[in-house]
């Protein structure tokens, strides 16, 4: 009781002290909330970078797939062309062989 009387004599207002403590608590909470928001923004930025890198990787893979498909088509065309050339060469060699046999027969008689 003695302490209370001392405070009363000094005109200490407990309501003001309580309000100041509440304000301090609110400020501390706001600082914590701001720190959490900053941390979440950093995480969001990192996630955006990861998504961007993933999208770039997907784009590169799609380009590679398109290139491989184009190359496959070109290889198929080249293979078809090569098969046609082989067929033509075989026909040409068969004709040349036939002419050679006929020529050898005619010279022999």
């Amino acid at each position: 009781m003695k302490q209370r009387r001392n405070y009363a004599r000094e005109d200490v207002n407990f309501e003001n002290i309580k309000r100041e403590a509440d304000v301090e608590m609110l400020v501390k909470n706001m600082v914590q909330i701001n720190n959490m928001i900053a941390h979440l923004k950093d995480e969001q930025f990192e996630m955006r970078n990861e998504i961007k890198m993933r999208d770039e990787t997907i784009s590169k893979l799609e380009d590679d797939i398109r290139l491989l498909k184009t190359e496959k088509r070109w290889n198929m065309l080249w293979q078809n062309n090569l098969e046609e050339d082989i067929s033509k060469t075989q026909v040409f060699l068969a004709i040349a062989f036939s002419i050679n046999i006929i020529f050898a027969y005619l010279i022999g008689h």
Side-chain angles (χ1 to χ4, degrees):
M1 284 291 211
K2 186 177 181 180
Q3 282 182 342
R4 251 195 166 153
R5 275 186 262 154
N6 287 340
Y7 289 133
R9 278 187 250 151
E10 294 175 12
D11 288 332
V12 174
N13 188 341
F14 287 107
E15 288 300 317
N16 284 343
I17 293 173
K18 185 177 183 284
R19 259 184 260 136
E20 287 176 14
D22 288 345
V23 168
E24 281 185 45
M25 182 79 100
L26 285 172
V27 169
K28 284 181 183 178
N29 284 342
M30 288 186 69
V31 168
Q32 287 177 343
I33 289 171
N34 285 341
N35 289 340
M36 286 174 28
I37 289 171
H39 177 71
L40 290 173
K41 283 183 179 180
D42 289 343
E43 284 186 11
Q44 183 182 29
F45 181 75
E46 288 176 15
M47 289 175 69
R48 283 183 181 157
N49 283 341
E50 288 176 10
I51 290 170
K52 184 178 177 183
M53 288 173 29
R54 186 206 66 193
D55 289 347
E56 289 173 358
T57 302
I58 289 172
S59 178
K60 287 178 184 177
L61 288 172
E62 287 173 342
D63 290 345
D64 288 347
I65 289 170
R66 273 193 295 280
L67 181 65
L68 287 171
K69 284 181 179 179
T70 302
E71 188 175 312
K72 181 181 175 185
R73 281 191 212 110
W74 187 86
N75 283 339
M76 288 175 64
L77 288 173
W78 183 78
Q79 184 178 3
N80 289 342
N81 223 2
L82 186 62
E83 287 174 2
E84 287 176 14
D85 289 345
I86 290 171
S87 297
K88 288 177 184 176
T89 303
Q90 287 174 339
V91 169
F92 174 75
L93 288 175
I95 291 171
F97 181 71
S98 299
I99 290 173
N100 196 13
I101 290 177
I102 293 171
F103 188 68
Y105 177 76
L106 291 176
I107 289 180
H109 283 303

